[in-house]
């Protein structure tokens, strides 16, 4: 088996064995997604789907990515992996791939549920695809960067709060205003795309967030236990 795939499979097994992490990554986003779907009586589909996607991406991808990388650093798994044949980038991909795949799966599941419950066909299907994949990419990259400054998996509950609420706030702002600046925020970019607005500004914002966060995350990544 490919070493990266083997590492990803081992990470997925560890994630599912950890009840707290599994609940954060699997159960909570779905529960919140259901709440957003039925919170307004007659569903506001843009509201429901936007917050479903932002929440799933934030919890399943961003928080789990940060916690997973911090945990593997603290138990010295990353240090041991670096002494083997895998490159640093391959290790990062292998460790974080389960969070990305689970995030994509949850976003697709929540979107499918929304359509099955009566949501209209998207005005711009390509925009919805970008909202899902781009949002996952942004949260994974920022999660890697946040992990560099997170001492442990438990500390991730604190260190991830600012960006998570920034994304959630951006989504809520986009739902209530038509400011051209709203797409600069990750959650605002997702909501703009779900609404069927112009694709280029939110796409550019997502690419910028992903590239900058990934480059900084790779630069400042810590591979040994933090005190």
């Amino acid at each position: 088996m490919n070493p990266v795939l083997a590492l990803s499979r081992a990470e997925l097994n560890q994630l599912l064995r950890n009840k707290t992490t599994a609940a954060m990554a699997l159960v909570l986003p779905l529960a919140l997604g259901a709440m957003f779907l039925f919170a307004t009586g007659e569903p506001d589909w843009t509201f429901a789907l936007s917050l479903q996607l932002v929440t799933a991406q934030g919890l399943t991808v961003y928080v789990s990515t940060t916690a997973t990388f911090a945990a593997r650093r603290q138990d010295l798994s990353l240090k041991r992996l670096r002494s083997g044949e895998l490159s640093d980038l391959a290790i990062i991909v292998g460790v974080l791939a389960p969070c990305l795949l689970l995030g994509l799966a949850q976003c697709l599941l929540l979107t499918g549920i929304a359509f099955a419950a009566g949501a209209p066909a998207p005005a711009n299907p390509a925009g919805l695809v970008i909202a899902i994949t781009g949002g996952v990419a942004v949260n994974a990259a920022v999660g890697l960067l946040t992990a560099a400054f997170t001492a442990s998996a438990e500390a991730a509950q604190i260190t991830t709060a600012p960006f998570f609420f920034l994304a959630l706030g951006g989504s809520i702002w986009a739902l209530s205003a038509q400011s051209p600046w709203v797409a600069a925020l990750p959650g605002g970019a997702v909501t703009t795309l779900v609404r069927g607005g112009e694709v280029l500004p939110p796409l550019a914002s997502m690419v910028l967030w992903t590239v900058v966060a990934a480059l900084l995350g790779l630069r400042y990544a810590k591979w040994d236990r933090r005190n």
Side-chain angles (χ1 to χ4, degrees), residues 68-127:
T68 297
F69 202 79
R72 299 299 166 265
R73 183 181 61 235
Q74 288 302 102
D75 66 14
L76 300 180
S77 294
L78 297 181
K79 189 174 182 179
R80 288 192 294 270
L81 287 169
R82 288 190 94 195
S83 65
E85 63 183 40
L86 292 176
S87 66
D88 288 355
L89 182 59
I91 293 170
I92 290 172
V93 171
V95 170
L96 302 186
C99 298
L100 274 71
L101 294 176
L102 287 174
L104 282 172
Q106 280 201 332
C107 287
L108 292 173
L109 176 61
L110 290 168
T111 302
I113 291 173
F115 289 146
N124 186 344

Side-chain angles (χ1 to χ4, degrees), residues 13-222:
N13 289 335
Q14 288 198 55
L15 187 153
L16 296 177
R17 282 200 297 265
N18 186 312
K19 294 181 180 179
T20 301
T21 305
M24 181 69 72
L26 301 175
V27 179
L28 187 55
L30 293 177
L32 290 174
M35 182 189 73
F36 292 138
L37 184 61
F38 300 108
T40 57
E42 186 67 26
D44 178 337
W45 294 112
T46 300
F47 168 88
L49 188 52
S50 296
L51 292 184
Q52 283 179 328
L53 293 180
V54 171
T55 301
Q57 291 163 359
L59 293 177
T60 305
V61 182
Y62 174 56
V63 176
S64 295
T65 290
T66 304
T68 297
F69 202 79
R72 299 299 166 265
R73 183 181 61 235
Q74 288 302 102
D75 66 14
L76 300 180
S77 294
L78 297 181
K79 189 174 182 179
R80 288 192 294 270
L81 287 169
R82 288 190 94 195
S83 65
E85 63 183 40
L86 292 176
S87 66
D88 288 355
L89 182 59
I91 293 170
I92 290 172
V93 171
V95 170
L96 302 186
C99 298
L100 274 71
L101 294 176
L102 287 174
L104 282 172
Q106 280 201 332
C107 287
L108 292 173
L109 176 61
L110 290 168
T111 302
I113 291 173
F115 289 146
N124 186 344
L128 181 58
V129 172
I130 295 171
I132 293 173
T133 56
V136 167
V138 169
N139 281 273
V142 179
L144 176 63
L145 176 58
T146 306
F149 305 96
T150 303
S152 65
E154 293 74 19
Q157 300 176 43
I158 298 173
T159 59
T160 56
F163 180 80
F164 178 79
F165 286 111
L166 176 68
L168 199 60
S171 179
I172 294 171
W173 182 20
L175 289 165
S176 60
Q178 296 289 337
S179 169
W181 295 102
V182 72
L185 299 177
V190 170
T191 299
T192 300
L193 291 166
V194 170
R195 178 182 281 151
E198 188 179 353
V199 170
L200 188 56
L203 174 60
S205 171
M206 287 177 161
V207 170
L208 184 62
W209 274 97
T210 302
V211 171
V212 172
L215 290 175
L216 291 175
L218 290 170
R219 178 178 179 182
Y220 292 108
K222 301 294 190 298

